Amino acid sequence: MMYCYLNGQIMPTDNASIKLNDLGLLRGYGMFDYFRTYNSQPFKWDWYWQRFEQSAHTLSLKLLLTQTEAAAIVSELLQLSGQVDAAFRFVLTGGYSPDSVRVIEPNLAIICENLRTENAVLYEKGIKILPFEFVRDLPEIKTTNYLNMIRLAAEMQSQNASDLLYFKDGEVSELTRSNFFIFKGDTLITPNRHILQGITRRVVLGLATAHFKVEVRPLLYSELAEADEAFTTSSIKWVLPIVQIGRQLIGDGAVGHRSKLLLELFKKETELL
Amino acid sequence: MMYCYLNGQIMPTDNASIKLNDLGLLRGYGMFDYFRTYNSQPFKWDWYWQRFEQSAHTLSLKLLLTQTEAAAIVSELLQLSGQVDAAFRFVLTGGYSPDSVRVIEPNLAIICENLRTENAVLYEKGIKILPFEFVRDLPEIKTTNYLNMIRLAAEMQSQNASDLLYFKDGEVSELTRSNFFIFKGDTLITPNRHILQGITRRVVLGLATAHFKVEVRPLLYSELAEADEAFTTSSIKWVLPIVQIGRQLIGDGAVGHRSKLLLELFKKETELL
């Protein structure tokens, strides 16, 4: 059985519930973060916590836990799960509101979830994604607004695609839940704006500098035609190769050796904890 | 005590709750509608229900109730409230998801709430609103994404403003939860796009045609300087005069006679039920 923390109490997740007047539910006023452990330790925990704190600050939501208190809860939930590793979802909402507008006291949940990993075949074959004209509002915050991702799930499935690539005014930003990179030769390029500052993105950029030229800058949609490789990064996807965007093949449509190298480097990084 | 309907059951709203893996909560995948009764009858119920059905269809969410069934529930909840009139909030979310992405079965709540009305003084003095550069994603759907409204509440309060006026690329759309109109002389103008098709807006447009020239078309931000009157409409606000937008006074900064006429006509319409 999996457990969660909700507003001061630890309980089986199946028993946890929130009332209907929560502003996350009624108004989409909520944010979250998501990370996993390796060898029972939260990976890059400091960075995740900082991002969570910053997002809470931007939404003017009080965080009623310190990092140390949160770490103790994460540790307890992992033990209760009986598993070596797990994923954790932090959810902070505007809380219960008397008039469905005013924030009184946030609701905070820390949910311990079974680890999900991508199908190993995808790392060999790469994925197809679909371009979608959109830019997230407040992209620097991991808000709970994922309308497009869910609304277009059937369309993606019908086109055998795994995700959407957001672009707007000719500029590429990110996938629905992960960051985006391309290689032009030995130059690695990733957008610098209209994105969530992903933790895996940050790790990969750090690893890449020893092997490639790195450019963090606005990336034009038109540049995709010149890309030799492309991939996406997230805490669950690691470095997942992208071989097709809409009808356009990336490079020769096969997974490239540079993306493979970054995937190997990232895996090593997680094992080194 | 107020009661609600949740997934087939009627219960006190304080006892109603949803689990943490609801997609409305985790992903903002939800929509709602809100209307009130006059003389114990839902006002323009057919129009609200049609809009709710259309929104559900756009989000590919199954509506498990017919209009007749929903009407019976609304009637029962109103009786249980012991009040003559009440407001009703319909909330439909993506429901409980095994992986926080896939929709299996929506959650539907019908919440009976105490009537809220605007302070009578505001109809005499008018309100101030702040311009905010933004356009809603999927504006035609009453989704639960109201991030800006809540995030900027403190800023509005500090500037003694009641709401935000969204504009983008020089074009005005709507307030955070209500529609927007201006008068230039005896011509009534309201935006035709990037808006929620409000029911009160529709009623007011119908009432206005007998008295004014009506233009439903893109409205430029620059036209606000030429407006003699402005107001906003919603099921709770009725026809609420706007006398200031940011630093700019509308007309002479006082509530105009044309807006007052529309307010009176709207009130009569609701009493005639």
Side-chain angles (χ1 to χ4, degrees):
Chain A
M1 200 192 324
M2 300 302 263
Y3 286 74
C4 73
Y5 164 97
L6 178 60
N7 297 331
Q9 285 193 296
I10 286 182
M11 62 191 89
T13 307
D14 280 346
N15 300 351
S17 61
I18 62 153
K19 294 185 186 188
L20 293 182
N21 64 333
D22 176 80
L23 287 173
L25 183 69
L26 294 183
R27 300 297 194 177
Y29 204 70
M31 41 163 274
F32 74 110
D33 220 313
Y34 186 83
F35 62 85
R36 56 160 291 176
T37 65
Y38 290 95
N39 303 320
S40 302
Q41 296 299 316
F43 183 65
K44 302 294 177 193
W45 161 253
D46 285 354
W47 293 355
Y48 281 106
W49 181 262
Q50 280 160 23
R51 184 169 73 183
F52 195 65
E53 265 188 341
Q54 276 169 18
S55 291
H57 180 75
T58 305
L59 294 188
S60 303
L61 294 177
K62 268 179 295 181
L63 250 183
L64 298 172
L65 291 181
T66 64
Q67 184 177 357
T68 310
E69 288 165 341
I73 291 165
V74 164
S75 173
E76 184 175 349
L77 293 174
L78 182 58
Q79 271 198 312
L80 285 167
S81 78
Q83 300 181 15
V84 176
D85 284 310
F88 288 87
R89 187 182 301 272
F90 281 53
V91 182
L92 183 66
T93 77
Y96 304 130
S97 178
D99 59 1
S100 56
V101 177
R102 264 183 303 152
V103 174
I104 307 296
E105 176 110 336
N107 284 324
L108 174 62
I110 302 176
I111 309 167
C112 181
E113 300 183 358
N114 286 308
L115 267 192
R116 277 179 288 137
T117 50
E118 293 290 339
N119 187 335
V121 174
L122 298 181
Y123 293 92
E124 298 300 321
K125 297 200 163 178
I127 62 168
K128 173 186 173 184
I129 61 178
L130 301 179
F132 186 71
E133 186 152 16
F134 179 67
V135 68
R136 285 199 299 130
D137 188 36
L138 300 178
E140 71 279 11
I141 305 179
K142 222 168 154 79
T143 63
T144 51
N145 181 9
Y146 286 77
L147 207 58
N148 289 309
M149 172 183 90
I150 296 174
R151 192 170 63 93
L152 301 174
E155 175 66 18
M156 286 189 251
Q157 201 172 12
S158 78
Q159 294 204 41
N160 206 19
S162 304
D163 211 331
L164 304 174
L165 175 64
Y166 291 147
F167 69 98
K168 184 89 178 177
D169 299 330
E171 199 176 316
V172 168
S173 56
E174 58 190 359
L175 278 65
T176 62
R177 290 155 290 170
S178 55
N179 289 117
F180 182 71
F181 295 74
I182 64 167
F183 273 112
K184 283 192 200 176
D186 283 332
T187 302
L188 180 66
I189 309 167
T190 193
N192 65 333
R193 57 186 186 184
H194 310 313
I195 62 163
L196 183 81
Q197 301 281 339
I199 306 298
T200 307
R201 172 179 176 275
R202 185 167 161 183
V203 173
V204 166
L205 283 174
L207 295 168
T209 48
H211 303 269
F212 304 106
K213 188 177 170 214
V214 174
E215 296 179 1
V216 181
R217 60 163 173 83
L219 176 61
L220 299 180
Y221 193 88
S222 55
E223 292 181 78
L224 300 181
E226 306 154 24
D228 296 302
E229 301 183 28
F231 61 87
T232 186
T233 59
S234 82
S235 55
I236 294 300
K237 296 182 165 69
W238 301 332
V239 175
L240 182 62
I242 295 165
V243 294
Q244 188 174 349
I245 301 175
R247 292 182 178 182
Q248 179 158 37
L249 291 184
I250 301 297
D252 58 3
V255 173
H257 62 92
R258 301 174 190 89
S259 305
K260 279 185 185 164
L261 172 64
L262 287 178
L263 174 61
E264 288 315 305
L265 291 172
F266 183 77
K267 282 186 178 172
K268 273 192 194 141
E269 180 82 3
T270 60
E271 286 160 10
L272 280 175
L273 262 180
Chain B
M1 201 192 322
M2 300 302 264
Y3 286 74
C4 73
Y5 164 97
L6 177 60
N7 296 333
Q9 284 193 298
I10 285 181
M11 63 191 87
T13 307
D14 279 346
N15 299 352
S17 61
I18 61 153
K19 295 185 185 188
L20 294 182
N21 64 334
D22 176 80
L23 287 174
L25 183 69
L26 294 184
R27 299 297 193 176
Y29 203 72
M31 42 165 272
F32 75 109
D33 219 313
Y34 186 83
F35 62 85
R36 56 160 289 176
T37 65
Y38 291 95
N39 303 319
S40 302
Q41 297 298 315
F43 182 65
K44 302 296 177 190
W45 162 254
D46 285 354
W47 293 354
Y48 281 105
W49 181 261
Q50 280 162 23
R51 185 170 72 182
F52 195 66
E53 265 189 341
Q54 277 169 15
S55 291
H57 180 74
T58 305
L59 294 187
S60 303
L61 294 177
K62 268 179 295 180
L63 249 184
L64 298 172
L65 290 181
T66 64
Q67 183 176 355
T68 309
E69 288 165 341
I73 291 165
V74 164
S75 173
E76 184 175 349
L77 293 175
L78 182 58
Q79 272 197 313
L80 285 168
S81 78
Q83 300 181 16
V84 176
D85 283 310
F88 288 86
R89 188 183 299 274
F90 281 52
V91 182
L92 183 67
T93 77
Y96 303 129
S97 178
D99 58 2
S100 56
V101 177
R102 263 183 304 153
V103 175
I104 306 296
E105 176 109 337
N107 283 325
L108 174 62
I110 301 176
I111 309 167
C112 181
E113 300 182 358
N114 286 308
L115 266 192
R116 278 179 287 137
T117 49
E118 292 290 339
N119 186 334
V121 174
L122 297 181
Y123 292 92
E124 297 300 320
K125 298 200 164 178
I127 62 168
K128 173 186 174 184
I129 60 178
L130 301 179
F132 186 71
E133 186 151 18
F134 179 69
V135 66
R136 285 199 299 131
D137 189 36
L138 301 178
E140 71 280 10
I141 305 179
K142 224 169 153 77
T143 63
T144 51
N145 180 11
Y146 285 78
L147 207 58
N148 289 309
M149 172 183 89
I150 296 174
R151 191 169 64 91
L152 300 174
E155 174 67 18
M156 285 188 250
Q157 202 172 10
S158 78
Q159 295 205 40
N160 206 20
S162 305
D163 211 330
L164 304 174
L165 175 63
Y166 292 147
F167 69 98
K168 184 91 180 174
D169 299 330
E171 201 177 316
V172 168
S173 56
E174 59 190 0
L175 277 65
T176 62
R177 288 155 291 170
S178 56
N179 289 116
F180 181 71
F181 295 74
I182 64 167
F183 272 111
K184 283 192 199 176
D186 283 333
T187 301
L188 180 66
I189 309 168
T190 194
N192 65 332
R193 57 186 185 183
H194 310 313
I195 62 163
L196 183 81
Q197 301 280 340
I199 305 298
T200 307
R201 172 179 177 275
R202 185 167 162 183
V203 173
V204 167
L205 283 174
L207 295 168
T209 48
H211 303 269
F212 305 106
K213 188 178 169 213
V214 174
E215 297 180 0
V216 181
R217 59 162 173 85
L219 176 62
L220 299 180
Y221 193 87
S222 56
E223 292 181 79
L224 300 182
E226 307 155 25
D228 296 302
E229 302 183 28
F231 61 87
T232 186
T233 59
S234 83
S235 55
I236 294 301
K237 295 182 165 67
W238 302 333
V239 175
L240 182 62
I242 296 165
V243 294
Q244 189 174 349
I245 301 175
R247 293 182 178 182
Q248 179 158 37
L249 291 184
I250 299 298
D252 57 4
V255 173
H257 62 91
R258 300 175 191 89
S259 304
K260 279 185 185 164
L261 172 64
L262 287 178
L263 174 61
E264 287 315 304
L265 292 172
F266 183 78
K267 282 186 177 172
K268 273 193 195 143
E269 181 82 3
T270 61
E271 287 161 9
L272 279 175
L273 261 179

